[in-house]
Amino acid sequence: MNDLVRQHTALDDSDLEWLHLLVSEWQLLSDLSFADLVLWVPTRDGTRYVSVAQMRPNTGPTSYQDDMVGHLVPRGRRPMLDAALDEGRIVREGDPEWREEVPVRVESIPVRREGRVLGVIARNTNLLTVRTPSRLELTYLQSASDLAQMIAAGSFPFPAEQLDMDASPRAGDGLIRLDADGVVQYASPNALSAYHRLGLATDLVGHHLGETTADLAPARGPVHEGLVKLASGWAPRETEVEGNGGVIQMRAIPLSPKGNRIGSLVLLRDVTELRRRERELITKDATIREIHHRVKNNLQTVAALLRLQARRMENSSAGSGAREALEEAVRRVGSIAIVHETLSQNLDERVEFDEIADRVLAMVAEISPGGVVTRRSGRFGILTAEVATPLSMVLTELLQNALEHGFGPGEQGTVEVTATRAAAPDDDQLTITVRDDGRGLPEGFEPQTAGNLGLQIVRTLVVGELGGTFDMVPAEGRGTQVVLELPLEA
């Protein structure tokens, strides 16, 4: 719609915003009218109309099999559009049109904003299935007529009302028609069923909806008074009412077709099951986060016990080796704990791995010789918990290996982790490079068969669990370079 309006018409941004607001609401008009709606706007030179939006009803057959948006028609071909635009009134004169052997009643509704007619809504009703209307259909049609008059007068839609129209109740969900005093004139079967869920044991017709709703809801005091006014339809508002174990979503639409308030429409939907499932999901999510938090605490406890045991080791050569092994185990446990700590703070099982990588770098840097600098470049991005947990261990092992075997006491150098994430048509590819400028690999070293525990862990996790590839080669110039290629599901 933006492109069509800006390309063909002279409407400004504020006019376009009004049309957007209208189009966000007009599903209601279409459903109440049992009719298709097409919004026509005059072109900049005034010689033609361009159709910028279209809506089909959920309550009846369509009159248009084809999409009308973008069509241009010259002025004069559709006299009812001309009359509605020029005279600023709803035009209903004329015989039904025949489209592919289907009779269609056509009406034109001017769209007014601040005294100016911006365009015209063509309301097209398929008459092929017309029958004697029921009480529900008569209420629908009367309400549609009132809304059409409000659109022609520029009093609908309501600019101050900010709603998520996809989540708001629709006419078919449940409809109640009130008079000017808030007394129920008509309640659809779905609306009555929703109120029965709240605990209503009688009919709604003839009762004051605000007072009845407030009696069914447990709230009292100022909230009670506000609910009475809202359910009476005094202002365009949306709320939820809970009582007797049921929850209904309610939207009030005041009707003032000729400038005077004559009553209101109340659309409502029974959302009891939806809210129950949402609460279950919230509870389940909180439980999962608590589990991650407890796992993190338990891992930190294990790390603390290992660290305590390492400090008790004797300073003999055997004791020194055991102490180093325990300290490595502490870092392995710590890397997993970092992932669970991050997961305990998230709403889903996905983590921003760059933060985890930085914390692993900081943890491993504690063992680095004083002159060695660790840093990261590139972005890992968001990863699932299934990938993040083994990857954090892999990163810990590779950094620990580079610092322990690449540099001696007092040596200076750099260890850099580089992450590159490339999107493929079906999945992502994550490439991780760990490069150091240390002493390099020993002669004849074979990374795929080396018996070092750390490299065994890396091979097992990268190839067996992550389905990736792992290679360790001499770096260009000096040092060692490790390259990991990991496939990630899209």
Side-chain angles (χ1 to χ4, degrees), residues 137-155:
E137 290 169 324
L138 288 172
T139 303
Y140 271 30
L141 293 171
Q142 181 58 55
S143 302
S145 176
D146 294 335
L147 286 177
Q149 292 183 54
M150 291 170 65
I151 292 172
S155 57

Side-chain angles (χ1 to χ4, degrees), residues 29 61 115 125 127-128 155 167 171 188 191 260 272 312 316 338 348 371-373 408 442 446-447 480 486:
L29 177 63
T125 306
L127 300 178
L128 198 60
S155 57
S188 72
N260 297 320
T272 305
R312 289 176 173 267
S316 64
I338 290 172
D348 56 15
V372 180
V373 177
E446 179 51 56
T480 305
L486 304 179

Side-chain angles (χ1 to χ4, degrees), residues 295-311 326-338 363:
V295 170
K296 182 263 297 184
N297 288 345
N298 291 339
L299 289 172
Q300 288 180 338
T301 301
V302 172
L305 291 172
L306 291 172
R307 192 177 294 112
L308 183 62
Q309 187 66 37
R311 288 173 183 166
L326 287 173
E327 288 175 346
E328 288 181 0
V330 168
R331 286 186 287 274
R332 288 167 185 149
V333 172
S335 65
I336 302 174
I338 290 172
M363 178 181 67

Side-chain angles (χ1 to χ4, degrees), residues 388-407:
T389 302
L391 184 56
S392 67
M393 282 198 66
V394 168
L395 196 56
T396 301
E397 297 299 332
L398 293 177
L399 290 169
Q400 193 166 272
N401 188 72
L403 291 170
E404 287 185 355
H405 302 291
F407 304 93

